[in-house]
Amino acid sequence: MQDFVQHLINGISLGSIYALIALGYTMVYGILKMINFAHSDVYMVGAFGAFYIARAFGIEANPGVGSLAILLISSMLVCSILGLLIERLAYRPLRNAPKLNILITAIGVSLFLEYGGQALFGANPRVFPEVMKDFVIFSFGNVELKSFDVTVLIVSVLAMLGLQYLIYKTKLGKAMRAVSANASVASLLGVNPDKIIAFTFIVGSALAGVGSVLVGMKYPKIDPLMGMMIGMKAFVAAVLGGIGNVRGAVLGALIMGLSEEMVVAYLSSTYRDALAFGILIAILIFKPAGLLGKYSVEKV
Amino acid sequence: MIRAFKNPLLSLLGVLAVGAIFQFAFDEYIQLMVLFITVNCLMAMSLNLVNGYTGQFSLGHAGFMAIGAYFTAYASTHWNFLPAELQGVSFFIFAIGSGLAAALAGFLVGLPSLRLKGDYLAIVTLGFGEIIRVSLLNMDVLGGPRGFANIPGFSNFYMSYSFAVLWILICFFTIWRVMKSSWGRGFLSVREDEIAAESTGVNTTGMKVRAFVLSSFFAGVAGALFAHFTNFINPSSFTFLQSVNAVIMVVLGGMGSMTGSIIAAIFVTSLPEALRPLQEWTGVDLRMVIYSLSLILVMILRPKGIMGELEITDLWRKYVRRSARS
């Protein structure tokens, strides 16, 4: 029982990191109807950006909440600039191209970032600087609640609440929802879809930047291919919750994090990576729109 | 002269003559490269059937290749029903077996997932490819993560080469003939407009499954060739990157052009070797960076790939003969 509670805590902490990345997938899908394969590599670049900034400012020497905030902001900045560049240079020229071409371009961008990263940062894993001290806040028998898990949870919940506010309470969010519903009608009503799409990329990438610092804090080993697997899982989480649906992404990510933790704990860790795809295939076959998604009929 | 290559026997003789040149004029390193090129040609041509002609995006091709490779590896080490002199014949039979095993897997994968479209299909096929790889990792009979060693191969380069060429021509002419049949029209109609095809009575899911099964058959054969040529396989030879490699070849060569796929396979396989001096000079692996950048640029500048839907023979007709007439 105590083990179970511990796995529950770990699973929620993992799930909230997946949620931050899944939100980027789901937002871009909601607005452009494309899977941004490069999103997980934006996250990787964010981790490296935070790594180099921590080194440049000597933040590794004094861990604490202040340095966490600096790293979060700088990583968000790096990621949003990268996201904006990707949108402008690779996706915008293909706005009206067939879906297959956009998909192949997205894979190309993803590979470019991964292997460009290997050429630039080197293929060896780096150790992410210690942002905060990890200590046990609360312990009950075997169950330990660590400060990292709490920080991850707090930061990601804050980020998600911010996103919620942005989408449902601001004018910009209204414009985003309008473009997502119908871009051409929105442009008739005075919304510039290109700007809104660029803004969506910025927001999604910034969330990936938050995720990258949290992951770097919790699992302090970063390398240029780190985005591959976590991106896949975050994507599965987005599909599981119903892609294009912001709340669904969070729900799906929590389910993913929990089930993965349970598989590792009670079955075998070798099946960990197959689990994500198993869930994905089951979802797509039995409930293609995901848990919270809406079905839509294709019109000719 | 170009028309002569539409005859399977003549083209077999022609390509075998090229092999004879490689046998005597080049060293083992280049010969091994040539063998890898043949494997990649098969992969690219078979993926082109799904990706180029049928317009479905599959990212799990390495999984089918893995099934073929493991089948051949197991069969040729455990089953000896023919004398050693007839090794080539038994390898041929095992290659067919690998193809059938991969085709069966393709059927099982394709039937449920081909109802999906575009991005989802890509991600599901990727998932199946990874599941196949993870299952192979967990199978101790097949070596698990240690891999499968001591797979018998051909005694010399020319034998391996002829075997590969035979399969490439079988693949080429099968797909060629299929694309001229009513199935081929069905495949093309699915690519052009799925809803319109459906409403004119084409069984679109059926067409996709047929293309997928045929394609995974030849991917399995490619895996069998790979197993014989390297004599050692392990699950990490068949990752997502191997699938992406096949996609790169199809896209660069032209989606819907078989000769384009062949040219791209030759180019993509030999490019890293040509880049080796540059790589030593800069000290980083630039191969994938260049591939991915060219993938993006090709998609933006020439959305149908370099050759488009034209074959080499069409280019011949378009440029050479026209200029001769005028």
Side-chain angles (χ1 to χ4, degrees), chain B residues 62 68 84 102 118 131 155 176 201 295 316 325:
Chain B
I131 286 175
S155 48
W176 184 277
L295 204 58
W316 174 271
R325 213 179 300 139

Side-chain angles (χ1 to χ4, degrees), chain B residues 116-139:
Chain B
L116 304 165
K117 282 180 194 142
D119 306 346
Y120 285 122
L121 180 64
I123 223 83
V124 163
T125 47
L126 197 170
F128 272 112
E130 285 292 298
I131 286 175
I132 290 172
R133 192 176 65 82
V134 172
S135 322
L136 286 174
L137 269 179
N138 285 299
M139 270 186 221

Side-chain angles (χ1 to χ4, degrees), chain B residues 149-190:
Chain B
N150 301 326
I151 305 163
F154 292 94
S155 48
N156 60 19
F157 166 74
Y158 198 65
M159 284 288 287
S160 322
Y161 179 79
S162 318
F163 188 68
V165 163
L166 190 62
W167 272 110
I168 285 181
L169 289 176
I170 292 175
C171 175
F172 187 89
F173 284 100
T174 308
I175 295 178
W176 184 277
R177 294 313 300 168
V178 164
M179 288 316 293
K180 295 274 183 275
S181 72
S182 63
W183 280 19
R185 298 288 153 208
F187 295 166
L188 291 177
S189 74
V190 169

Side-chain angles (χ1 to χ4, degrees), chain A residues 35 101 103 115 243 284 298, chain B residues 57 117 119-120 124 241 292 303:
Chain A
I35 296 174
N101 293 17
L103 185 61
Y115 290 93
I243 196 154
L284 286 179
E298 193 170 346
Chain B
F57 197 57
K117 282 180 194 142
D119 306 346
Y120 285 122
V124 163
L241 264 186
S292 48

Side-chain angles (χ1 to χ4, degrees), chain A residues 9 38 57 61 76 88 93 109 129 141 147 174 179 203 212 215 217 253 267 289 294:
Chain A
I9 293 173
F57 289 103
M76 281 164 82
R88 180 58 65 83
V109 174
S147 66
K174 205 178 220 173
V179 172
V203 175
S212 74
V215 172
M217 190 176 83
L267 286 171
K294 287 195 202 82

Side-chain angles (χ1 to χ4, degrees), chain B residues 215-290:
Chain B
S215 161
S216 41
F217 178 87
F218 286 113
V221 173
L225 297 183
F226 181 76
H228 285 311
F229 295 161
T230 53
N231 307 114
F232 171 75
I233 49 175
N234 67 342
S236 58
S237 329
F238 307 106
T239 53
F240 169 59
L241 264 186
Q242 183 69 36
S243 308
V244 169
N245 229 358
V247 170
I248 288 173
M249 286 172 219
V250 172
V251 171
L252 288 187
M255 289 188 281
S257 162
M258 253 190 309
T259 42
S261 301
I262 295 175
I263 293 167
I266 295 172
F267 178 69
V268 166
T269 321
S270 46
L271 181 70
E273 305 309 317
L275 283 180
R276 202 159 283 252
L278 183 69
Q279 211 160 299
E280 272 163 18
W281 180 56
T282 52
V284 287
D285 184 9
L286 291 172
R287 189 179 54 128
M288 289 309 290
V289 180
I290 293 174

